Amino acid sequence: MTRYDRAEIAEFVQRWIEANAECERNKDWTPLADFYAEDATYGWNYGTKDDFMAVGRDEIRDIALGQEMAGLDGWEYPYIRTIIDPETGDVLCLWKQIARDTVDPKTGKPYEVHGLGGSWFLYNGDQQWKWHRDFFDFGNVVDLFMRMYEADALTDSMKARFEAAGDKPAGWYRIEDSPAPLWPVSAPDEV
C-alpha cells in the first residue's frame, strides 16, 4: 500500500479549495480540470437509475466542469471540513451549496441546499486527483431547484436544462452502463 505525505496532500487540497473559490468568482469551473490526472474519472449518482461519469481530463473539463456546472452562475460551494488519509490518499471534503446571488423571498437569505454535500477524492501522488466522486442530498437538491424554478429564480441556462430534463446529455448513463464504477475498485491490498 502506498503511503503519502500528509502535508503534501494538505497543501494540494488547500490549492484545490482556493482554485474552487476563484472559479466561483469567475463563474467558470473548467480550470479545475488541471487538478486531475489525464485518465481520472469524476462522477456522482443521480437517483435510482442514473449516474454521471466523466472519464479523462478532457471530459472532466468539458462535461463535468463545463456542461454540468452551466447554469450555476452565482453558486458557491464553501468547504466546511476536510479529512485526509495519508495511508490511502483518500480525501473527503464536506461542502455546502449556496446560490449566493439569488435570495429566497421567504427567508430573505440566499437559496441553500439543506443537507450534506461532499466530494471523495483519491490523490495519485502527482499533485493530481486520480478520481473524484461527489455526493449530495438528492431529495433536498430537487426540492430546492423546484422551489427556485417556481419562483423564477433559476438562471436562463438552468431553466433550459430543467425543461429538457427528459433528454440525457453527455456523461449521463444508466447505472449499469456507466463507463466507470461509482465506487472505485480497491486494489487487493486495500481491502
Side-chain angles (χ1 to χ4, degrees), residues 3 9 16 18 88 96-97 104 111 115 121 135 146 155 181-182:
R3 177 168 169 70
I9 299 173
W16 166 262
E18 290 168 4
T88 62
K96 293 182 178 186
Q97 296 171 279
D104 183 341
Y111 285 99
F121 302 94
F135 56 91
M146 288 304 296
T155 61
L182 186 65

Side-chain angles (χ1 to χ4, degrees), residues 162-177:
F162 242 73
E163 291 160 1
D167 300 329
K168 293 255 189 259
W172 286 91
Y173 299 93
R174 300 297 284 178
I175 290 171
E176 62 273 12
D177 297 329

Side-chain angles (χ1 to χ4, degrees), residues 4 36-39 89 122-131:
Y4 297 95
Y36 294 87
E38 188 65 39
D39 62 348
L122 183 63
Y123 181 68
N124 78 352
D126 296 322
Q127 294 290 299
Q128 295 176 327
W129 299 125
K130 180 171 178 56
W131 50 255

Side-chain angles (χ1 to χ4, degrees), residues 52-78:
F52 171 85
M53 189 62 63
V55 178
R57 185 182 299 140
D58 290 339
E59 279 194 14
I60 291 170
R61 176 183 297 106
D62 298 341
I63 301 172
L65 301 171
Q67 165 190 295
E68 291 301 306
M69 296 303 287
L72 296 171
D73 308 339
W75 282 74
E76 61 184 21
Y77 300 83

Side-chain angles (χ1 to χ4, degrees), residues 7-186:
E8 175 186 335
I9 299 173
E11 182 273 331
F12 178 66
V13 169
Q14 187 57 42
R15 284 190 319 124
W16 166 262
I17 291 170
E18 290 168 4
N20 268 271
E22 180 70 19
C23 290
E24 289 166 1
R25 286 188 292 277
N26 295 333
K27 300 177 182 178
D28 176 11
W29 283 267
T30 59
L32 293 175
D34 295 337
F35 284 81
Y36 294 87
E38 188 65 39
D39 62 348
T41 61
Y42 177 9
W44 57 84
N45 174 256
Y46 199 74
T48 60
K49 297 178 183 171
D50 296 309
D51 283 344
F52 171 85
M53 189 62 63
V55 178
R57 185 182 299 140
D58 290 339
E59 279 194 14
I60 291 170
R61 176 183 297 106
D62 298 341
I63 301 172
L65 301 171
Q67 165 190 295
E68 291 301 306
M69 296 303 287
L72 296 171
D73 308 339
W75 282 74
E76 61 184 21
Y77 300 83
Y79 281 65
I80 308 303
R81 291 281 187 276
T82 300
I83 301 165
I84 298 171
D85 182 347
E87 294 291 325
T88 62
D90 286 292
V91 177
L92 182 66
C93 298
L94 300 176
W95 36 258
K96 293 182 178 186
Q97 296 171 279
I98 303 169
R100 72 169 182 265
D101 293 345
T102 312
V103 175
D104 183 341
K106 292 180 182 177
T107 66
K109 297 179 181 178
Y111 285 99
E112 180 177 340
V113 174
H114 183 73
L116 292 175
S119 296
W120 175 25
F121 302 94
L122 183 63
Y123 181 68
N124 78 352
D126 296 322
Q127 294 290 299
Q128 295 176 327
W129 299 125
K130 180 171 178 56
W131 50 255
H132 174 181
R133 300 295 184 265
D134 281 343
F135 56 91
F136 47 89
D137 188 326
F138 178 69
N140 280 318
V141 169
V142 170
D143 177 70
L144 178 70
F145 277 70
M146 288 304 296
R147 287 190 291 121
M148 291 178 75
Y149 184 80
E150 291 166 0
D152 197 27
L154 293 174
T155 61
D156 289 340
S157 57
M158 187 56 74
K159 282 182 209 171
R161 286 179 64 182
F162 242 73
E163 291 160 1
D167 300 329
K168 293 255 189 259
W172 286 91
Y173 299 93
R174 300 297 284 178
I175 290 171
E176 62 273 12
D177 297 329
S178 181
L182 186 65
W183 285 89
V185 178
S186 297

